[in-house]
């Protein structure tokens, strides 16, 4: 539930100063699909994201807050800054911080730096970005350690049907580590489809598909691929 607003706005920064903000409420069906492996998965996630462009580039952040019936389970954030490499250039330098806190501890923090290539079609109804990043994980809690990684990210957004529908999303591929220290490819993608009732209110769904990303809490299962759909509403400020 992230980076979608950033994709929709970033390509316009070459021609105007843009800023946007939205809040999303997602009901997650993951724990209903994987009753054993994802028994503790939160049912509700609130996402706040904001994008702001300036003459040097842009800022973007999002916060995912996972809620249960009794607790705020976790809050995870990603904050990024891009610096345009020339006024009309599609290339930008990208720096980012990822991390957060949960009721039982914290997420492993990481910092990323690299390059982005941003683009759009003629009327800006379709925008996209590709990022190639060096990723450094930090020791954030017991049983974690610092290690170097790399990440390839793609982000897209396209509006169609007279702007009534929006298809957007991102895909991340990066090097993670198994508990034994061996490397593994982690894949996470979250496509979203929205029906826009007006410029502010949308109803839609998000499909989280991942490999080697979700922590499997069932000791009797070796599942590594998960499909977690949501039903969601969104308000654009």
């Amino acid at each position: 539930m992230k980076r979608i607003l950033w994709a929709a706005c970033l390509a316009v920064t070459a021609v105007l100063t843009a800023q946007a903000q939205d809040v999303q409420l997602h009901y997650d069906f993951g724990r209903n699909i994987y009753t054993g492996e994802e028994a503790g998965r939160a049912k509700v996630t609130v996402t706040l994201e904001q994008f702001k462009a300036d003459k040097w580039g842009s800022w973007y952040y999002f916060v995912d807050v996972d809620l249960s019936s009794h607790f705020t389970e976790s809050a995870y954030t990603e904050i990024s800054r891009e610096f345009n490499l020339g006024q009309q250039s599609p290339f930008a330098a990208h720096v980012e911080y990822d991390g957060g806190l949960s009721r039982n501890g914290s997420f492993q923090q990481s910092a990323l730096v690299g390059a982005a290539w941003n683009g759009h079609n003629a009327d800006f109804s379709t925008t996209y970005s590709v990022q190639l990043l060096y990723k450094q994980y930090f020791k954030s809690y017991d049983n974690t350690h610092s290690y170097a990684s790399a990440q390839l990210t793609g982000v897209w957004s396209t509006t169609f049907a007279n702007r009534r529908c929006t298809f957007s999303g991102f895909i991340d591929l990066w090097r993670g580590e198994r508990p034994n220290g061996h490397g593994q490819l982690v894949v996470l993608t979250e496509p979203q489809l929205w029906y826009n009732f007006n410029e502010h209110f949308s109803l839609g769904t998000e499909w989280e598909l991942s490999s080697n990303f979700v922590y499997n809490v069932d000791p009797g299962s070796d599942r590594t691929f998960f499909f977690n759909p949501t039903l969601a509403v969104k308000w654009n400020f």
Side-chain angles (χ1 to χ4, degrees):
M1 301 153 195
K2 55 182 181 177
R3 303 200 193 113
I4 313 305
L5 177 69
W6 176 85
C9 294
L10 188 56
V12 305
T13 61
V15 293
L16 53 87
T17 298
Q19 56 183 331
Q21 185 177 35
D22 71 57
V23 60
Q24 304 172 25
L25 178 66
H26 291 258
Y27 184 87
D28 194 302
F29 296 96
R31 63 185 294 164
N32 303 108
I33 300 173
Y34 308 103
T35 55
E37 294 95 337
E38 292 193 307
R41 187 177 178 89
K43 289 185 177 181
V44 176
T45 298
V46 177
T47 297
L48 174 67
E49 59 176 350
Q50 184 174 27
F51 172 92
K52 188 177 188 307
D54 54 45
K55 63 181 180 180
W56 297 288
S58 63
W59 285 99
Y60 171 76
Y61 78 88
F62 78 88
V63 181
D64 277 348
V65 180
D66 289 333
L67 306 174
S68 66
S69 300
H70 306 289
F71 301 100
T72 298
E73 297 291 338
S74 65
Y76 174 80
T77 186
E78 294 186 4
I79 304 170
S80 64
R81 171 74 199 188
E82 289 204 346
F83 298 93
N84 297 329
L85 300 178
Q87 286 189 337
Q88 302 299 323
S89 173
F91 295 99
H94 182 105
V95 292
E96 182 177 326
Y97 164 81
D98 301 348
L101 299 173
S102 72
R103 185 164 60 90
N104 299 314
S106 67
F107 294 92
Q108 187 168 11
Q109 301 177 85
S110 61
L112 301 92
V113 60
W117 176 62
N118 307 308
H120 58 86
N121 65 353
D123 64 358
F124 294 93
S125 62
T126 296
T127 59
Y128 52 86
S129 176
V130 178
Q131 304 157 22
L132 182 60
L133 307 169
Y134 169 81
K135 188 173 189 176
Q136 178 65 49
Y137 280 99
F138 302 101
K139 179 177 175 60
S140 303
Y141 53 90
D142 291 343
N143 302 319
T144 65
H145 65 281
S146 62
Y147 67 92
S149 179
Q151 180 169 302
L152 178 64
T153 291
V155 193
W156 72 90
S157 178
T158 184
T159 302
F160 56 97
N162 198 28
R163 298 192 175 274
R164 285 295 184 184
C165 296
T166 300
F167 176 60
S168 55
F170 74 90
I171 182 169
D172 288 338
L173 301 91
W174 73 92
R175 179 190 179 276
E177 284 197 355
R178 304 178 189 272
N180 61 10
H182 292 174
Q184 64 179 358
L185 176 65
V186 184
V187 181
L188 174 65
T189 182
E190 295 182 1
Q192 295 182 345
L193 181 63
W194 298 98
Y195 181 80
N196 307 312
F197 289 90
N198 52 49
E199 63 179 322
H200 295 295
F201 180 72
S202 303
L203 176 67
T205 181
E206 176 182 274
W207 289 9
E208 180 190 283
L209 299 100
S210 66
S211 176
N212 295 319
F213 176 71
V214 172
Y215 178 67
N216 189 337
V217 299
D218 184 353
S221 171
D222 59 358
R223 183 188 300 274
T224 58
F225 175 83
F226 289 86
F227 163 59
N228 295 303
T230 77
L231 182 63
V233 293
K234 177 171 66 173
W235 183 265
N236 293 291
F237 294 96

